[in-house]
Amino acid sequence: GNSVTQMEGPVTLSEEAFLTINCTYTATGYPSLFWYVQYPGEGLQLLLKATKADDKGSNKGFEATYRKETTSFHLEKGSVQVSDSAVYFCALRHPLGQGAQKLVFGQGTRLTINP
Amino acid sequence: GAVVSQHPSWVICKSGTSVKIECRSLDFQATTMFWYRQFPKQSLMLMATSNEGSKATYEQGVEKDKFLINHASLTLSTLTVTSAHPEDSSFYICSASSGRYYNEQFFGPGTRLTVL
């Protein structure tokens, strides 16, 4: 079945450091890929998405590129801030006809940025 | 726009009682709502998908008699945990989607249930 694997956390970085959170997926067909962020005490928010191979999603300085050849969607940011501290979830959405609209989440990666 | 609320944000109940959690789309009509369960430091597990006016579709392993889902209107879905037990303690999150927003899921802030 479809699945998502994220790098295990927690991840602790200093402010202005470069961030990479790895995400790989297993899916039949061509899923859409997402990164969600969950700030303390809040619900999940969509951070960025990509719907086809080689698409790059970007938002708030974060980027991720849909790599079909490596089945990956790694999250990157060039210079993190304390306010980026949160839990990050990689997810895929089933292609049409396979329980469409359902999201499959990775296990989440807790990120802490120290000043 | 696209705001989803949940009520209550937290609840503590005694074992054997039932608890109802509400999920509302505040500024859009949600054709589909989803209920997730999140264990501490773990991912979200989809419990069920509900469409307005029809029965919910439960994921494998989720007891439909235990977790009753009602999606009576395009802005409200409820999850009732019946005869709750301590193992039902968890963080329950709903999301709502609409064709208006290309079926993107918008998430509520979650409800923490503690069963004593």
Side-chain angles (χ1 to χ4, degrees), chain B residues 30-89:
Chain B
T31 49
T32 306
M33 287 187 169
F34 304 82
W35 287 96
Y36 296 85
R37 185 171 178 177
Q38 185 180 27
F39 293 96
K41 298 184 180 181
Q42 293 188 30
S43 187
L44 282 75
M45 180 193 78
L46 179 65
M47 299 174 67
T49 303
S50 72
N51 293 293
E52 185 264 340
S54 61
K55 290 184 179 180
T57 301
Y58 290 81
E59 295 299 299
Q60 193 171 8
V62 178
E63 299 176 58
K64 57 183 67 177
D65 295 331
K66 173 76 166 174
F67 300 99
L68 300 179
I69 292 171
N70 185 301
H71 191 164
S73 77
L74 285 171
T75 59
L76 173 65
S77 176
T78 60
L79 167 67
T80 301
V81 183
T82 62
S83 187
H85 291 283
E87 58 265 30
D88 298 323
S89 298

Side-chain angles (χ1 to χ4, degrees), chain A residues 66-87:
Chain A
Y66 189 145
R67 301 285 188 201
K68 193 171 188 333
E69 63 276 14
T70 54
T71 62
S72 65
F73 193 54
H74 305 321
L75 182 68
E76 297 182 337
K77 186 173 185 181
S79 176
V80 293
Q81 306 300 315
V82 173
S83 57
D84 293 328
S85 299
V87 180

Side-chain angles (χ1 to χ4, degrees), chain A residues 23-76:
Chain A
C23 171
T24 56
Y25 67 91
T26 301
T28 54
Y30 301 91
S32 295
L33 301 174
F34 304 82
W35 277 99
Y36 286 87
V37 57
Q38 186 178 30
Y39 297 104
E42 299 183 16
L44 274 72
Q45 301 174 28
L46 178 64
L47 180 60
L48 53 85
K49 67 180 180 182
T51 58
K52 62 183 187 297
D54 299 326
D55 266 3
K56 177 187 284 188
S58 61
N59 185 27
K60 300 181 180 179
F62 291 90
E63 293 183 340
T65 301
Y66 189 145
R67 301 285 188 201
K68 193 171 188 333
E69 63 276 14
T70 54
T71 62
S72 65
F73 193 54
H74 305 321
L75 182 68
E76 297 182 337

Side-chain angles (χ1 to χ4, degrees), chain A residues 74-114:
Chain A
H74 305 321
L75 182 68
E76 297 182 337
K77 186 173 185 181
S79 176
V80 293
Q81 306 300 315
V82 173
S83 57
D84 293 328
S85 299
V87 180
Y88 292 81
F89 292 92
C90 185
L92 68 80
R93 187 169 68 196
H94 291 221
L96 293 176
Q98 296 182 33
Q101 293 194 60
K102 289 185 182 179
L103 288 170
V104 176
F105 287 90
Q107 63 268 43
T109 302
R110 182 173 298 277
L111 173 66
T112 301
I113 307 300
N114 294 320

